[in-house]
Amino acid sequence: QVQLVESGGGLVQPGGSLRLSCAASGDIFRINHMGWYRQAPGKERELVARITDDDITNIADSVKGRFTISRDIAKNTVYLQMNSLKPDDTAVYFCNAFIQSYWTVYDAWGQGTQVTVSS
């Protein structure tokens, strides 16, 4: 089994910043990629940013230039630095990781952390 634990969400004013963290633990041999998705009320879940084990990143156009994704391989942790936040960024943010164990693979999801951008 694997677990993803997210932290760092909260309430922030427009123009502010937040940093999300997601730590993976459990039966991990290798993490191929980690990323963040978000889901706003009434909308589908969408990719925000993803990073591979080769540090190749994929950033959604809607957040490009404002959000940065990074990872600490030794800590099995991925970060999402969110700057210049807008009300449209309000959503539940979910961590995702594709993890290889010695026996199987996991497409793992965290439970989500709420990000609210409001004055």
Side-chain angles (χ1 to χ4, degrees):
Q1 296 289 336
V2 297
Q3 288 184 326
L4 301 181
V5 178
E6 301 136 329
S7 61
L11 173 64
V12 64
Q13 292 186 342
S17 298
L18 283 175
R19 188 191 194 209
L20 305 183
S21 300
C22 172
S25 62
D27 184 17
I28 298 172
F29 171 70
R30 177 186 177 188
I31 301 179
N32 288 31
H33 59 75
M34 300 184 79
W36 293 93
Y37 288 72
R38 68 186 182 185
Q39 187 166 19
K43 295 187 178 181
E44 294 186 353
R45 190 173 296 188
E46 63 176 359
L47 174 69
V48 177
R50 183 167 54 199
I51 185 167
T52 71
D53 56 355
D54 294 329
D55 281 337
I56 296 172
T57 60
N58 181 18
I59 311 292
D61 288 342
S62 59
V63 304
K64 200 166 291 184
R66 300 187 296 120
F67 291 11
T68 303
I69 188 169
S70 61
R71 66 186 287 182
D72 185 329
I73 295 177
K75 296 182 179 180
N76 291 330
T77 299
V78 64
Y79 305 97
L80 184 68
Q81 178 66 43
M82 305 186 293
N83 299 327
S84 302
L85 282 160
K86 305 175 181 180
D88 284 349
D89 295 318
T90 296
V92 178
Y93 284 69
F94 296 91
C95 179
N96 171 253
F98 191 83
I99 297 172
Q100 294 182 11
S101 75
Y102 289 97
W103 313 110
T104 188
V105 294
Y106 299 94
D107 186 12
W109 291 88
Q111 291 190 330
T113 184
Q114 176 70 46
V115 172
T116 302
V117 185
S118 175
S119 55

